[in-house]
Amino acid sequence: MERIRLPGVVWRELRIPNLVIAAAFVSTLLAGPADAATPIKILVLGDSLASGWGLPVDQAFPTRLEAKLRARGHAVRLVNAGVAGDTSAGGKARLDWAMTERPGIVIVELGANDSLRGLDPNATRANLDDILTRLKSRGVRILLAGMKAPPNLGEEYGGEFNAVFPELANRHNVALYPFFLDGVAAQSGFNQPDGIHPNARGVAVIVDRILPYVVRLLKSSE
């Protein structure tokens, strides 16, 4: 008798004439249920707010969002393309590299570092406009996460910067989550000691508030 071994299978001795049947049985075991849904990849293109700066990997925004979506029965896989310190220009520069993951949905979370550095809102607008244009050309669904300028930069700057996100969402006809840090910004209990980056509790708030927007994009593909 010939004995064949593959990992993860309970083995019995199989006679050579039965190998074809046995192979088919093993393939079924390894493949899993025939009706298992193929996960939709959701790419989070962002900065340290997306990458999970200062947090364990399992507490980062993409990981927590994936867990929440899966708990609701959505077959998804989140791809964390957050880079700490990235500006809209940085996101624009690495977009093609990030898109090698071939996501079906992209959450664009950029702009926080632009405002913290007081960069020209027109430059932020141009960078995000280019990102959205290129994403639309690939046929992916998009959720643009808005950002707001810190109050200390003044009303004029804040007004110009804050207007960038709804303006671009309208121009490109993409979904907009008005403010990524809604319910978390300036709330000491939801932020790390630096007062900028959300702690685990803050990430939970962000996930809960942005979740309906992501679910709508998922349902639009069904």
Side-chain angles (χ1 to χ4, degrees):
M1 296 182 183
E2 182 176 344
R3 185 176 295 175
I4 305 172
R5 296 187 177 276
L6 288 174
V9 179
V10 177
W11 292 101
R12 296 177 181 174
E13 291 186 340
L14 303 175
R15 296 182 182 279
I16 295 298
N18 295 326
L19 285 180
V20 174
I21 296 175
F25 176 68
V26 169
S27 297
T28 301
L29 288 178
L30 296 178
D35 59 351
T38 301
I40 296 176
K41 287 185 182 179
I42 302 177
L43 178 81
V44 184
L45 180 71
D47 46 42
S48 58
L49 299 177
S51 69
W53 187 91
L55 295 171
V57 174
D58 63 354
Q59 295 300 314
F61 167 73
T63 307
R64 297 283 293 275
L65 179 59
E66 179 182 285
K68 182 75 76 167
L69 289 167
R70 284 181 172 270
R72 292 190 169 213
H74 298 285
V76 297
R77 184 168 76 83
L78 272 286
V79 180
N80 189 340
V83 173
D86 227 356
T87 61
S88 59
K92 170 185 171 181
R94 61 188 175 86
L95 179 61
D96 288 340
W97 170 80
M99 289 299 290
T100 58
E101 290 286 343
R102 300 183 181 278
I105 293 175
V106 177
I107 300 174
V108 180
E109 180 280 301
L110 289 165
N113 289 309
D114 296 51
S115 64
L116 287 174
R117 299 178 189 182
L119 301 182
D120 184 355
N122 290 321
T124 301
R125 179 184 292 105
N127 292 330
L128 292 175
D129 183 61
D130 182 81
I131 290 171
L132 295 176
T133 298
R134 289 157 64 189
L135 288 176
K136 289 192 72 176
S137 72
R138 293 172 179 258
V140 301
R141 295 179 297 285
I142 304 165
L143 176 58
L144 176 62
M147 187 51 60
K148 293 185 179 180
N152 65 303
L153 293 178
E155 290 186 10
E156 182 177 355
Y157 181 89
E160 292 180 12
F161 181 87
N162 298 348
V164 166
F165 299 89
E167 176 189 317
L168 288 175
N170 184 63
R171 180 188 304 174
H172 290 276
N173 192 29
V174 300
L176 172 69
Y177 181 63
F179 182 32
F180 186 74
L181 295 175
D182 183 42
V184 173
Q187 303 296 317
S188 60
F190 293 141
N191 286 283
Q192 298 179 47
D194 64 6
I196 296 174
H197 295 92
N199 58 24
R201 292 179 62 203
V203 172
V205 171
I206 295 170
V207 168
D208 284 343
R209 296 196 178 196
I210 203 172
L211 185 67
Y213 293 78
V214 181
V215 169
R216 280 197 289 269
L217 284 182
L218 287 168
K219 288 183 175 180
S220 70
S221 66
E222 296 176 351

Coordinates of all heavy atoms in Angstrom, one line a residue, residues 2-3 10 13 18 39 48 53 66 71 80 91 94 102 111 120 156 177 179 189 191-192 209 211 213 218:
E2 N 0.4 2.3 -0.7 CA 1.1 3.6 -0.7 C 0.4 4.6 0.2 O -0.8 4.7 0.1 CB 1.2 4.1 -2.2 CG 1.9 5.4 -2.3 CD 2.0 5.9 -3.7 OE1 1.8 5.0 -4.6 OE2 2.4 7.0 -4.0
R3 N 1.1 5.3 1.0 CA 0.5 6.2 1.9 C 0.9 7.6 1.5 O 2.1 7.9 1.3 CB 1.1 6.0 3.3 CG 0.4 6.8 4.4 CD 0.9 6.4 5.8 NE 0.5 5.1 6.1 CZ 0.8 4.5 7.2 NH1 1.6 5.1 8.1 NH2 0.4 3.3 7.5
V10 N -6.9 14.1 8.1 CA -6.9 12.8 8.9 C -6.6 11.7 7.9 O -7.4 11.5 6.9 CB -8.2 12.6 9.6 CG1 -8.1 11.3 10.4 CG2 -8.4 13.7 10.6
E13 N -4.9 4.6 5.3 CA -4.2 4.0 4.2 C -5.2 3.9 3.0 O -6.3 3.4 3.2 CB -3.7 2.6 4.6 CG -2.5 2.8 5.6 CD -1.9 1.4 5.9 OE1 -2.5 0.4 5.7 OE2 -0.8 1.4 6.4
N18 N -8.0 3.8 -5.5 CA -8.9 4.8 -4.9 C -8.2 6.2 -4.8 O -8.8 7.1 -4.2 CB -9.3 4.4 -3.5 CG -10.1 3.1 -3.5 OD1 -10.9 2.9 -4.4 ND2 -9.9 2.3 -2.5
P39 N -13.6 37.6 -0.1 CA -13.5 38.9 0.6 C -13.3 40.1 -0.3 O -12.5 40.0 -1.2 CB -12.4 38.7 1.6 CG -12.2 37.2 1.7 CD -12.6 36.7 0.4
S48 N -0.9 58.6 10.0 CA -0.7 57.9 11.3 C -2.1 57.6 11.9 O -2.2 56.6 12.7 CB 0.1 58.7 12.3 OG -0.5 60.0 12.4
W53 N -0.7 54.7 14.9 CA 0.5 55.2 15.6 C 0.2 55.1 17.1 O -0.8 55.6 17.6 CB 0.8 56.7 15.2 CG 2.1 57.2 15.8 CD1 3.3 57.1 15.2 CD2 2.2 57.8 17.0 NE1 4.2 57.7 16.0 CE2 3.6 58.2 17.2 CE3 1.4 58.2 18.1 CZ2 4.1 58.8 18.3 CZ3 1.9 58.8 19.2 CH2 3.2 59.1 19.3
E66 N -12.3 46.1 10.2 CA -12.4 44.8 9.6 C -13.2 43.9 10.6 O -14.1 43.1 10.2 CB -11.1 44.2 9.3 CG -11.2 42.8 8.7 CD -9.9 42.1 8.4 OE1 -9.3 42.5 7.4 OE2 -9.5 41.3 9.1
A71 N -18.0 40.9 11.9 CA -19.0 40.5 12.9 C -20.4 40.8 12.4 O -21.4 40.1 12.9 CB -18.8 41.4 14.2
N80 N -4.1 48.0 5.4 CA -3.6 49.2 6.1 C -2.5 49.8 5.3 O -1.3 49.4 5.3 CB -3.1 48.8 7.5 CG -2.8 50.1 8.3 OD1 -2.6 51.2 7.8 ND2 -2.8 49.9 9.6
G91 N 0.7 60.6 0.0 CA -0.3 59.6 -0.5 C -0.4 59.6 -2.0 O -0.5 58.5 -2.5
R94 N 2.6 57.6 -3.5 CA 2.7 56.1 -3.3 C 1.3 55.4 -3.7 O 1.2 54.2 -3.4 CB 3.0 55.8 -1.9 CG 2.1 56.3 -0.8 CD 2.6 56.0 0.6 NE 1.8 56.6 1.6 CZ 0.7 55.9 2.1 NH1 0.4 54.7 1.7 NH2 0.0 56.5 3.1
R102 N -5.0 45.7 -5.4 CA -6.3 45.6 -6.1 C -7.5 45.6 -5.2 O -8.3 44.7 -5.3 CB -6.2 44.3 -7.0 CG -5.1 44.3 -8.0 CD -5.2 43.0 -8.8 NE -4.1 42.9 -9.8 CZ -4.1 43.6 -11.0 NH1 -5.1 44.3 -11.3 NH2 -3.0 43.5 -11.8
G111 N -4.6 64.4 4.9 CA -4.9 65.9 5.0 C -4.6 66.4 6.4 O -4.3 67.6 6.6
D120 N -0.6 75.0 2.1 CA -1.6 75.7 1.3 C -2.7 74.8 1.0 O -2.5 73.7 0.4 CB -0.9 76.2 0.0 CG -1.8 77.0 -0.9 OD1 -3.0 77.1 -0.6 OD2 -1.3 77.5 -1.9
E156 N -9.7 82.1 8.7 CA -9.6 82.1 7.2 C -8.9 80.8 6.7 O -9.5 80.2 5.7 CB -8.7 83.3 6.9 CG -8.5 83.5 5.4 CD -7.7 84.7 5.0 OE1 -7.3 85.5 5.9 OE2 -7.4 84.9 3.8
Y177 N -17.2 61.1 4.3 CA -17.4 61.0 5.7 C -16.9 62.4 6.2 O -15.6 62.6 6.2 CB -16.6 59.9 6.4 CG -16.8 59.8 7.9 CD1 -18.1 59.6 8.4 CD2 -15.7 60.0 8.7 CE1 -18.3 59.5 9.8 CE2 -15.9 59.9 10.1 CZ -17.2 59.7 10.6 OH -17.4 59.6 12.0
F179 N -15.9 64.2 8.8 CA -14.7 64.5 9.7 C -14.2 63.2 10.3 O -15.0 62.6 11.1 CB -15.1 65.5 10.7 CG -14.0 65.9 11.7 CD1 -12.7 66.0 11.2 CD2 -14.3 66.3 13.0 CE1 -11.6 66.3 12.1 CE2 -13.2 66.6 13.9 CZ -11.9 66.7 13.4
G189 N -10.3 61.9 26.9 CA -10.5 60.5 27.2 C -10.4 59.6 26.0 O -10.3 58.3 26.1
N191 N -8.0 60.2 23.4 CA -6.8 60.5 22.7 C -5.6 60.1 23.6 O -5.6 60.0 24.8 CB -6.6 61.9 22.3 CG -7.5 62.3 21.2 OD1 -7.2 62.0 20.0 ND2 -8.7 63.0 21.5
Q192 N -4.5 59.8 22.9 CA -3.2 59.5 23.5 C -2.7 60.8 24.2 O -3.2 61.9 23.9 CB -2.2 58.9 22.5 CG -2.7 57.6 21.9 CD -1.7 57.0 20.9 OE1 -0.5 57.0 21.2 NE2 -2.2 56.6 19.8
R209 N -18.7 55.3 14.1 CA -19.3 56.4 13.4 C -19.1 56.3 11.9 O -20.0 56.7 11.1 CB -18.8 57.7 13.9 CG -19.2 58.0 15.4 CD -19.0 59.4 15.8 NE -19.4 59.6 17.2 CZ -19.7 60.7 17.7 NH1 -19.6 61.8 17.0 NH2 -20.1 60.8 19.0
L211 N -18.7 53.4 10.3 CA -19.2 52.1 9.8 C -20.4 52.2 8.8 O -20.4 51.5 7.8 CB -19.6 51.2 11.0 CG -20.0 49.8 10.7 CD1 -18.8 49.0 10.2 CD2 -20.6 49.1 12.0
Y213 N -21.2 54.3 6.7 CA -20.7 54.8 5.4 C -20.0 53.7 4.6 O -20.2 53.6 3.4 CB -19.8 56.0 5.5 CG -20.4 57.2 6.1 CD1 -20.7 57.3 7.5 CD2 -20.7 58.3 5.3 CE1 -21.2 58.5 8.0 CE2 -21.3 59.5 5.8 CZ -21.5 59.5 7.2 OH -22.1 60.7 7.7
L218 N -20.4 48.9 0.6 CA -20.4 47.4 0.4 C -21.7 47.0 -0.2 O -21.7 46.2 -1.2 CB -20.2 46.7 1.7 CG -18.7 46.8 2.3 CD1 -18.7 46.3 3.7 CD2 -17.8 45.9 1.4

